[in-house]
Amino acid sequence: MGLALHNILFVIEGDREESVVKNLQKVFFGEKTIITCVFGTVVYALYKEISADTDLDVFPLLQKRLKGLEGFTRDSFSEVYLFFDYDRHASNASDTKLEALLNTFDNETENGKLYVSYPMLEALKHCNDLACFKNQIAECSPNYKKQVNRECAPKYIDFNTYDKKVWSELTEAHLCKMNYIVTDSYSFPTDYFLQSLIFEKQKVKYGAKDDKTVAVLSAFPVFIYDYFGSITLEEKLK
């Protein structure tokens, strides 16, 4: 399998992300081939595996860990993306580890590009009033999922039901939020921001309470902004 196939590999943290990815593919990617593999645990476990590899040959590590990559090589994929939660409450959580991972997985055509949701996947739907989303923050807690289901608008609860209108609303909100986190301007971005910069701004601006508080931000709208670019994405969301 070669690059001519233009396969895209998504490495996701768990089964919860699968419904989001399937819906994302339907709305934004059409017939493009996306292979999705579940890593099965938090992002910090990935650090343990790559730090033990002195040659830092990432794809064989992923292939050894992930089901569904049999018969593929790194050249089978034009791009590799990884989607994980911040999961600051995990027992093996470490900002130092995450910084190292963001620096290792910073290019989709090489080792892959890591996107982080703050505090976790459910951030995507943690929205009730779009105007108030600017100031939506959350503690990194196992109870976060229950909090989101209590506070989000009913139309956002089920990822499987998202149509272009819902994606348009949430994408605009999260991208304005990303821009606000980095630049203090709650407006649709015109620049691209490194995941490592977003993480640094999260720590500086929102991590004062024992490193448990973050601004709510989903990885998926940030990914599609990076992937399509501002002009193309705005056209797709019309």
Side-chain angles (χ1 to χ4, degrees):
M1 299 182 184
L3 281 174
L5 293 177
H6 298 297
N7 297 319
I8 300 174
L9 175 62
F10 279 11
V11 179
I12 57 178
E13 180 170 321
D15 296 335
R16 294 160 34 245
E17 284 83 359
E18 287 190 297
S19 58
V20 175
V21 170
K22 287 178 182 177
N23 191 282
L24 188 79
Q25 180 169 13
K26 179 179 67 175
V27 173
F28 291 102
F29 289 93
E31 300 301 316
K32 192 178 284 280
T33 301
I34 295 177
I35 308 297
T36 304
C37 295
V38 175
F39 188 71
T41 189
V42 296
V43 69
Y44 306 101
L46 179 59
Y47 173 82
K48 181 179 179 181
E49 298 197 18
I50 67 166
S51 61
D53 180 17
T54 55
D55 296 326
L56 201 60
D57 195 354
V58 172
F59 190 80
L61 289 175
L62 294 176
Q63 195 169 37
K64 182 179 178 181
R65 175 74 184 237
L66 302 175
K67 293 181 180 179
L69 284 184
E70 301 85 359
F72 290 99
T73 68
R74 177 63 185 86
D75 288 340
S76 303
F77 301 99
S78 56
E79 303 146 63
V80 177
Y81 300 98
L82 303 93
F83 299 92
F84 282 82
D85 296 345
Y86 181 41
D87 275 330
R88 191 62 180 83
H89 60 279
S91 60
N92 58 347
S94 162
D95 285 351
T96 300
K97 293 177 184 177
L98 186 54
E99 286 171 359
L101 288 167
L102 289 169
N103 289 327
T104 299
F105 296 99
D106 65 349
N107 190 316
E108 66 274 13
T109 63
E110 296 178 3
N111 287 332
K113 187 166 184 178
L114 171 62
Y115 285 88
V116 178
S117 288
Y118 301 92
M120 59 181 63
L121 172 69
E122 285 73 18
L124 179 60
K125 60 182 177 179
H126 194 184
C127 187
N128 192 313
D129 182 344
L130 291 170
C132 296
F133 187 66
K134 169 184 174 181
N135 296 313
Q136 188 78 57
I137 62 173
E139 287 194 5
C140 302
S141 162
N143 297 320
Y144 178 67
K145 298 174 194 176
K146 294 180 180 178
Q147 176 189 351
V148 172
N149 285 333
R150 289 195 308 268
E151 296 178 356
C152 75
K155 61 181 175 179
Y156 300 143
I157 287 178
D158 186 357
F159 295 133
N160 293 293
T161 65
Y162 285 15
D163 57 14
K164 183 182 285 189
K165 184 175 185 298
V166 169
W167 272 111
S168 180
E169 292 172 355
L170 292 179
T171 296
E172 182 173 1
H174 281 275
L175 292 180
C176 288
K177 182 68 165 287
M178 174 189 72
N179 202 38
Y180 180 67
I181 291 169
V182 177
T183 72
D184 293 320
S185 174
Y186 191 67
S187 58
F188 199 85
T190 56
D191 295 319
Y192 297 93
F193 303 119
L194 296 174
Q195 285 288 298
S196 56
L197 175 60
I198 296 172
F199 177 52
E200 183 61 30
K201 292 292 186 178
Q202 282 275 18
K203 289 195 300 176
V204 171
K205 295 174 69 173
Y206 301 96
K209 298 179 181 178
D210 300 322
D211 291 329
K212 293 180 180 179
T213 307
V214 291
V216 173
L217 182 68
S218 171
F220 290 97
V222 178
F223 158 70
I224 59 175
Y225 175 80
D226 288 354
Y227 190 91
F228 291 110
S230 178
I231 296 174
T232 300
L233 179 57
E234 287 191 274
E235 286 297 317
K236 282 184 169 289
L237 293 176
K238 287 182 179 179

